[in-house]
Amino acid sequence: MDKFIIKGNTPLRGTVSINGAKNAAVAILPATALIKGKCRIDNIPNISDIKRCCEILELLGAKVNFITPNEVEIDSTNVEEKEIPLDLTKKFRASYYFIGALLSRFGKASVGFPGGCNFGSRPIDQHIKGFETLGATVNCEGGMIYATSENGLEGNSVYLDVVSVGATINIMLSAVLVPGVTTIENAAKEPHIVDLANFLNTMGANIKGAGTDIIKITGVEELRGNASYSIVPDQIEAGTFMIAAAASRGDVTITNCITKHLDPISAKLVEMGVNIEESEDGDEIRVWSDERTTKGNIKTLPYPGFPTDMQPQVAVLLSVSQGTSYLTEGVFDSRFQYTEELKKMGAKIRIEGKTACIEGVETLNGCQVTATDLRAGAALIIAGICADGETELYGIEHVERGYEKIAERFNSLGAKIERVSE
Ligand code: EPZ
């Protein structure tokens, strides 16, 4: 397996452009299976989860043609309802979006269980609750999810017990072509939920309220497509570079982003003494800091709260800030596995239930560490950039699942990351 060798003490300076959002793209690609026609999507991140989505689309009978690595034309005219095997679906989390898409178009779906990062239990009971509320019968056996509907699905109201991005997306997908009106209450409001709704409406759907906690989907006969769409910039990728700029005491301008989506991250960084400047038209943000940040108290929450997908990255900044900080995980059962790796680098972190108590140290020290998931890997890259000495990062396949050309882009800002094949 390949590893990254990261030389430390390299303050990041310069400009970096943000790619399309992974968590929007992995919802929008399955959504193309709803369309009896063609569509063109650009600003797609060139990452392995996207390739996996396309593999499943082709299995279903779609024609997938990459015009460039970041632009694709998909023709789903001849998509059929086929079983999607576990060995394809277990490779990533978003594979379960094909259940909602196939249910909506064909009234049935047979899809293997999803994979995804290990943050403790990640049930899908809210997804199933949504499908059943629309009239489906759902059985889980042998690693497969079987959804059927004898008399077809019908719009209805679903109240989510927990704010769930995946369930909100899956229920939205399942309702698009279903007669009647479906409302999702206590819905997630992340930017990628809005992006999916915008994509579907561009293709002929009738969805209102995305971005609020009540989403209303009025079923339509069919989606004709014959339109194009550009994926929203990635809030978490932008946030990752913001934290890297602050932690390395550099000066980075992040372009092709939506600063509004970054508000929860910017607010916390300013509290900790980081300098932030946003462009007039809200698509660029400059982040700089030439001194050690002060402590922070952060709790991750669904959008517009501080994103859970920024939790490992901000833990690195808190680890080298002044004073004692508290970082509480408010979304998942357990998302602190990566702190064991940071402690190897000299971080002083004590986990108490869902809260990490972090005593800031002057600097971390490079050593051999392993990424346990996508965002943990990004955090360990930031730690290696800030640390004294050299860091060897294993498990980089996790990172490259979600960040396109991550080493090259950090190196363009002055980092010294070398990819080495073991
Ligand atoms: C999505 O995961 C993202 N993945 C995650 O990003 C992100 O961390 C998460 O949303 C929260 O923003 C993709 O979009 C592919 P949830 P998802 O359903 O949909 C509980 C990354 O790094 N829950 O919003 O799985 C669940 O256990 C990844 O890009 C239920 O109880 O997250 C969790 O505690 C990591 N029942 C909470 O809700 C359900 O049926 C939020 O989960 C569904 C979820």
Coordinates of all heavy atoms in Angstrom, one line a residue, residues 21 35 56 59 97 99 101 125 134 164 168 191 238 253 255 292 324 353 364 387-388 398:
A21 N -18.5 19.1 -4.4 CA -18.7 18.4 -3.1 C -18.9 16.9 -3.3 O -19.9 16.5 -4.0 CB -19.9 19.0 -2.4
I35 N -33.8 9.3 -14.3 CA -34.1 10.1 -15.6 C -34.2 9.2 -16.8 O -33.4 8.4 -17.0 CB -32.9 11.1 -15.8 CG1 -32.7 12.1 -14.6 CG2 -33.1 11.9 -17.1 CD1 -31.5 12.9 -14.6
I56 N -22.0 1.2 -10.6 CA -23.3 0.7 -10.4 C -24.3 1.2 -11.4 O -25.1 0.5 -11.9 CB -23.8 1.1 -8.9 CG1 -22.9 0.4 -7.9 CG2 -25.3 0.9 -8.7 CD1 -23.2 0.9 -6.4
L59 N -24.0 -1.0 -14.4 CA -24.6 -2.3 -14.1 C -26.1 -2.2 -14.3 O -26.7 -3.1 -14.9 CB -24.3 -2.6 -12.6 CG -25.1 -3.9 -12.1 CD1 -24.4 -5.1 -12.4 CD2 -25.2 -3.8 -10.5
Y97 N -28.2 5.1 -1.7 CA -29.1 6.0 -2.4 C -29.7 5.4 -3.6 O -30.7 5.9 -4.1 CB -28.3 7.3 -2.9 CG -27.8 8.1 -1.7 CD1 -26.6 8.8 -1.8 CD2 -28.6 8.3 -0.5 CE1 -26.2 9.6 -0.7 CE2 -28.1 9.0 0.5 CZ -26.9 9.7 0.5 OH -26.5 10.5 1.5
I99 N -31.3 2.7 -3.6 CA -32.6 2.1 -3.1 C -33.7 3.1 -3.4 O -34.7 2.8 -4.1 CB -32.5 1.8 -1.6 CG1 -31.4 0.9 -1.2 CG2 -33.9 1.2 -1.2 CD1 -31.2 0.7 0.3
A101 N -33.7 5.7 -5.4 CA -33.8 6.0 -6.9 C -34.6 4.9 -7.6 O -35.5 5.1 -8.3 CB -32.5 6.2 -7.5
D125 N -32.4 2.8 10.0 CA -33.9 2.7 10.3 C -34.7 3.9 9.8 O -35.9 3.7 9.4 CB -34.0 2.6 11.9 CG -33.4 3.8 12.6 OD1 -32.2 4.1 12.4 OD2 -34.1 4.4 13.3
L134 N -44.1 5.4 2.6 CA -44.6 5.7 1.2 C -45.2 4.4 0.7 O -45.7 4.4 -0.5 CB -43.4 6.1 0.3 CG -42.7 7.4 0.7 CD1 -41.7 7.8 -0.4 CD2 -43.7 8.5 0.8
S164 N -31.1 13.3 9.8 CA -30.2 12.4 9.0 C -30.0 12.8 7.6 O -31.0 12.9 6.8 CB -30.8 11.0 9.0 OG -30.2 10.2 8.0
T168 N -32.7 11.8 4.7 CA -33.4 12.9 4.0 C -33.2 12.7 2.5 O -34.1 12.8 1.7 CB -32.8 14.3 4.4 OG1 -32.9 14.4 5.8 CG2 -33.4 15.4 3.7
P191 N -25.7 21.8 2.7 CA -25.6 22.3 1.3 C -25.8 21.2 0.3 O -26.4 21.5 -0.8 CB -24.2 22.9 1.3 CG -23.9 23.2 2.7 CD -24.5 22.2 3.5
A238 N -13.1 22.8 1.6 CA -12.8 24.2 1.9 C -12.4 24.3 3.3 O -11.3 24.9 3.7 CB -13.9 25.1 1.5
T253 N -5.5 31.6 0.4 CA -6.7 32.1 -0.2 C -7.4 30.9 -0.9 O -6.8 30.2 -1.7 CB -6.5 33.2 -1.2 OG1 -5.9 34.4 -0.5 CG2 -7.8 33.7 -1.8
T255 N -10.4 29.6 -3.2 CA -11.3 30.1 -4.3 C -12.3 29.1 -4.7 O -12.2 27.9 -4.3 CB -10.5 30.6 -5.5 OG1 -9.8 29.4 -6.0 CG2 -9.4 31.6 -5.2
R292 N 0.2 31.4 17.6 CA -0.5 30.3 18.2 C -2.0 30.7 18.5 O -2.2 31.7 19.1 CB 0.2 29.8 19.4 CG -0.1 28.4 19.8 CD 0.9 28.0 20.9 NE 0.4 26.8 21.6 CZ 0.7 26.4 22.8 NH1 1.6 27.2 23.5 NH2 0.3 25.3 23.4
T324 N -6.6 24.7 27.4 CA -7.3 23.4 27.3 C -8.7 23.6 26.5 O -9.4 24.6 26.8 CB -7.6 22.9 28.7 OG1 -6.4 22.7 29.3 CG2 -8.4 21.6 28.6
G353 N -16.5 10.2 27.3 CA -17.8 10.0 26.6 C -17.7 10.6 25.2 O -16.9 10.2 24.4
L364 N 3.6 19.4 17.7 CA 3.5 17.9 17.5 C 4.8 17.5 17.0 O 5.6 18.2 16.4 CB 2.3 17.5 16.6 CG 1.0 18.0 17.1 CD1 -0.1 17.7 16.0 CD2 0.6 17.3 18.4
A387 N 3.8 19.5 12.2 CA 4.7 18.9 13.3 C 6.2 19.2 13.0 O 6.6 19.6 11.9 CB 4.5 17.4 13.3
D388 N 7.0 19.0 14.0 CA 8.5 19.0 13.9 C 8.8 17.6 13.3 O 8.2 16.6 13.6 CB 9.2 19.1 15.2 CG 9.2 20.5 15.7 OD1 9.0 21.4 14.9 OD2 9.4 20.7 16.9
H398 N -7.9 5.9 2.1 CA -9.1 6.5 2.7 C -9.2 7.9 2.3 O -10.3 8.4 2.0 CB -9.0 6.4 4.3 CG -9.1 5.1 4.9 ND1 -10.3 4.3 4.8 CD2 -8.2 4.3 5.5 CE1 -10.1 3.2 5.4 NE2 -8.9 3.1 5.8

